[in-house]
Amino acid sequence: MKIKDLLNSGNPTLSMEVFPPKTDANIESVEKAVAAIAKLSPSFMSVTYGAGGGTSVHTVRIASNIRATGVPALAHLSCISSTKETVRTQLSKLQELGIENILALRGDKPEGLDESRLDYHYANELVEDIKRFNPDFCVGGACYPEGHPDAPDWKTDIKNLKRKVDAGCDFLTTQMFFDNGLFYSFLYRLRDAGIHVPVIAGIMPITNEKQVSRTMKLSQAFMPTRFRALVDRFGSNPEAMKQAGIIYATDQIIDLLANGVNNIHIYTMNKPDVSEAIMKNLSHLM
Ligand code: FAD
């Protein structure tokens, strides 16, 4: 099943993201979590690609596991540390396994990267290569409601995003955000720039205190006062923080649905219990 068809059907979608293990030793526990999340019947499941490509084998394996459950699979693929040849190899594997959907990413630049020796500099080049390899692949791209951290300004970032969409993106998925107002403004900017592909809103349930600083540092997302207060009040009580984090994410999703945003992606962090709790909270809304 192609994700673009799900997104263009007009029905709301709720999708979930998992990440592969860094080592072979953890593959079984990740596979168990993936199976448990698949049982919740999300619209589709995505599986990330480890920075530098070190976990590419696991990404393919998990994507294939997802597909075997009957849930459509979206495999992430990043290019900054890849050669044209490794990308072609990964695409061949995905094609052989019947994985139809790819999220095409640049990836974060590793420290000390020699940019003169790269096969790929930006995600739009990867999107072009995927479509050239097989125009039938459904390809998504990443977008950033608060701007990508490397971009000098808003206008440039949106211009670059347009370039990526024009290269063949069928849909976009956002970086996580904790303030829906920022997402709504972003949608206006996309429309003004002539970007009309479906945009999936990425929501990260923050369910423990440790996750807060790591997530904010990685995503550079704005932390609203309301969210900060919640962490200050409940952060030291794991059960309370988990409950509050699930409710905050649910509240964000309800606001998005109420404002006509139909496509929601949950960064589940491989936690079936958190995924299930959010789904239960939304059982009559989707
Ligand atoms: P790009 O679209 O290439 O943009 C990167 C920067 O370059 C931006 O500042 C943009 O404005 C600029 N730019 C883009 N095109 C051009 C151009 N042609 N000329 C000049 N400037 C340009 N990382 C992983 O390693 N694995 C994952 O699985 C993963 N999944 C992700 C999923 C989502 C939904 C998101 C939002 C991010 C994910 N990331 C992942 C992180 C991502 O790889 C980083 O944010 C990375 O720094 C940028 O990737 P991109 O594909 O958005 O890059």
Side-chain angles (χ1 to χ4, degrees), residues 48-49 51 76 103-108 122-124 142-144 148 150-151 157 160 163-164 173-175 267:
T48 62
Y49 192 81
H76 292 203
L103 192 74
L105 299 146
R106 184 194 71 178
D108 285 325
Y122 299 106
N124 64 289
C143 64
Y144 304 81
H148 185 271
D150 295 354
D157 203 29
N160 290 331
R163 212 190 295 219
K164 185 158 69 177
T173 305
T174 74
Q175 178 63 287
Y267 294 106

Side-chain angles (χ1 to χ4, degrees), residues 27-66:
I27 188 86
E28 272 182 30
S29 67
V30 173
E31 285 185 325
K32 246 170 106 175
V34 168
I37 295 172
K39 269 203 177 137
L40 302 170
S41 303
S43 307
F44 68 86
M45 283 171 74
S46 67
V47 50
T48 62
Y49 192 81
T55 64
S56 63
V57 177
H58 293 149
T59 298
V60 172
R61 176 164 164 176
I62 302 280
S64 176
N65 289 354
I66 294 168

Side-chain angles (χ1 to χ4, degrees), residues 244-274:
I246 288 169
I247 292 172
Y248 190 93
T250 303
D251 191 43
Q252 266 194 287
I253 296 171
I254 292 174
D255 180 72
L256 290 165
L257 291 170
N259 282 287
V261 176
N262 260 352
N263 307 118
I264 317 281
H265 189 63
I266 303 180
Y267 294 106
T268 65
M269 305 306 288
N270 296 4
K271 292 178 188 155
D273 54 339
V274 173

